[in-house]
Amino acid sequence: MKRADSDLNVAREATSLRLLVEKRLRTAIGDGTFKPGQRLIERELCEQTGVGRTSIREALRQLEAEGLVDTVPHRGPVVSTITADEAEQLYELRAMLEGFAGRECARKRDPQILARLRKQFEIMGQVARQDDRSDLLAAKTEFYAAMLEGCGNVFVQRFLNMLLNRVTLLRMTSMTQKNRIDHSLKEIETILVAIETGDVDGAERACVQHIHNAAAIAVAALRKNEATAANESKIR
Amino acid sequence: MKRADSDLNVAREATSLRLLVEKRLRTAIGDGTFKPGQRLIERELCEQTGVGRTSIREALRQLEAEGLVDTVPHRGPVVSTITADEAEQLYELRAMLEGFAGRECARKRDPQILARLRKQFEIMGQVARQDDRSDLLAAKTEFYAAMLEGCGNVFVQRFLNMLLNRVTLLRMTSMTQKNRIDHSLKEIETILVAIETGDVDGAERACVQHIHNAAAIAVAALRKNEATAANESKIR
DNA sequence: AATGAGCATATTGTCAGACAATCTGTCAAT
DNA sequence: ATTGACAGATTGTCTGACAATATGCTCATT
């Protein structure tokens, strides 16, 4: 990631069909159009998107590498599922990486980043009471994005993005609980303040704590699901 | 990762052409057959491997997702290069992840893992004096692999593998320096002992330290390279 | 000599069609 | 209920084709 002195970057709008397909599929998986465990059949995707198998398949390879789909040989790709154990591991890693990001943001205190963080935080406060939580989610996403950029480590950035993509597979969780929103906002405020005041340890701790809390809820919900699913399969 | 009670697993030898190609390309990049910055031309790859464009392209997409190649639109893939800054970031993340792996190994102390670690360490001691360093490298790789498995977090495992793949792009470094080998062995011993004695903090610290040392050398070498390269381009 | 226009070539991006290999479910036979 | 065979569905892979784009070269112009 090089940066020209004066920012007249023409960021190479790398637009190719397969990238569009990739993005399209990613969001389709993210927003639940394709549910975890669902098979993705090439021919159907071709029809739905109107592009050839080549592009579809290449896009799928990319998603596969990111762990968003699992490809079973001679059976094709299915949207990844995630077990409670894996989710626990995912959050564990995410806590570590996001802790790092928070720490680095607090250390660098890049004014641009600080401004973005605060702006998104304020938006969150404004839209928290809405029934429709999509605005809140968007603001939160933006908040994280700013923090990622602020950490200045492209690898952390990339990996965290991959993790976040997979977290969206567990959408039902964290935010569904009503008063969790208030808690969540408080935690985010703690993060923000720590970053703004340059409290590196505090920022890291706050991030880790925030993820841990989210993880606890998500994992518990997953475990419950798995338990009932196991029972049902017993009955059958 | 499910495990049958008695191990008669037929671990689905998922062998498809594109996976073979993928592996082949990965090692070709790793062992320097394809040098950083080199273009990879589809048709040439087809001829060299004897497979069709389809499989080649899909394999390339996978490598692209792993960051081993950069694909420039309408120009095709080139073997990734890495700047000194990026290398620094890479090592920073690697230190964090490997520190975590070390800590977890020390906490769990799975006998199987411990045995593997020690075995590889002893092999290292035996082959350290050879001129040909490939045996040493192999043992080291195995040591890391064992540590990764031991950490019990599939995501950490996966990400670290990706990072390690990219580190091999910087092969010239760390090990080239003669007495660095001795230092390195000592550091690894420190790691091993800490893990064996269950000293979680010590294990983490030792891992981080080990990577930091390797990083220092690698990054310095890279910076030097970049400086001379910059000069040469000035002359020209 | 340096600049710029325009053309030729190389290579990727994408498609369609084809066929073998493999998986899955069904149905008959035991 | 278990087994075995068959048929249909889907992937894995190849081939050939063509448009879109990037790069390098030639040549005229200044």
Side-chain angles (χ1 to χ4, degrees), chain B residues 163-188:
Chain B
L163 289 184
L164 288 181
N165 274 333
R166 297 196 63 173
V167 169
T168 58
L169 287 174
L170 317 167
R171 120 167 12 282
M172 26 105 183
T173 54
S174 16
M175 283 295 217
T176 43
Q177 314 219 352
K178 262 244 219 69
N179 61 0
R180 170 71 190 140
I181 294 182
D182 293 325
H183 280 297
S184 185
L185 276 184
K186 275 232 179 68
E187 290 167 12
I188 290 179

Side-chain angles (χ1 to χ4, degrees), chain B residues 16-18 50-55 73-75:
Chain B
S16 64
L17 262 192
R18 84 154 171 283
V51 306
R53 259 178 93 199
T54 314
S55 308
H74 284 285
R75 185 117 203 292

Side-chain angles (χ1 to χ4, degrees), chain A residues 16-17 51-55 74-75:
Chain A
S16 64
L17 261 192
V51 305
R53 258 178 95 198
T54 314
S55 307
H74 283 285
R75 184 119 204 289

Side-chain angles (χ1 to χ4, degrees), chain A residues 85-221:
Chain A
D85 285 343
E86 286 170 338
E88 206 158 19
Q89 296 172 14
L90 192 159
Y91 277 110
E92 193 174 23
L93 179 52
R94 187 179 158 197
M96 189 162 35
L97 295 183
E98 227 155 272
F100 172 82
R103 160 178 290 272
E104 287 298 296
C105 282
R107 195 170 61 76
K108 292 175 141 67
R109 281 205 281 178
D110 177 334
Q112 298 238 334
I113 300 293
L114 291 185
R116 280 175 64 188
L117 289 175
R118 173 149 290 276
K119 182 174 167 205
Q120 294 305 323
F121 173 68
E122 276 163 12
I123 293 178
M124 284 185 229
Q126 287 161 20
V127 300
R129 298 279 152 229
Q130 292 175 201
D131 271 352
D132 178 16
R133 269 166 292 117
S134 63
D135 286 341
L136 182 59
L137 196 65
K140 229 177 155 177
T141 305
E142 253 304 305
F143 186 88
Y144 285 134
M147 210 165 85
L148 286 200
E149 279 184 43
C151 92
N153 184 316
V154 287
F155 297 96
V156 171
Q157 219 170 312
R158 198 149 152 186
F159 285 170
L160 256 179
N161 265 322
M162 286 171 72
L163 289 184
L164 289 180
N165 273 335
R166 298 196 63 175
V167 169
T168 57
L169 287 174
L170 317 167
R171 113 170 18 282
M172 34 103 183
T173 55
S174 20
M175 284 295 217
T176 44
Q177 313 219 350
K178 260 242 223 58
N179 60 1
R180 170 71 190 140
I181 293 182
D182 292 326
H183 281 295
S184 185
L185 276 183
K186 276 233 178 67
E187 290 167 11
I188 290 179
E189 184 171 23
T190 310
I191 295 174
L192 178 59
V193 171
I195 290 179
E196 286 179 334
T197 59
D199 173 8
V200 288
D201 289 327
E204 177 171 351
R205 233 177 311 134
C207 288
V208 170
Q209 188 60 48
H210 181 53
I211 303 299
H212 276 335
N213 292 344
I217 297 175
V219 171

Side-chain angles (χ1 to χ4, degrees), chain B residues 15 87-89 97 120 140 147 172 194 202 221 236:
Chain B
T15 202
E88 207 157 17
Q89 295 172 15
L97 295 184
Q120 294 305 323
K140 228 176 156 179
M147 210 166 86
M172 26 105 183
R236 200 185 311 158

Side-chain angles (χ1 to χ4, degrees), chain B residues 147-158:
Chain B
M147 210 166 86
L148 285 200
E149 278 183 45
C151 92
N153 185 315
V154 288
F155 297 96
V156 171
Q157 219 170 312
R158 198 149 151 187

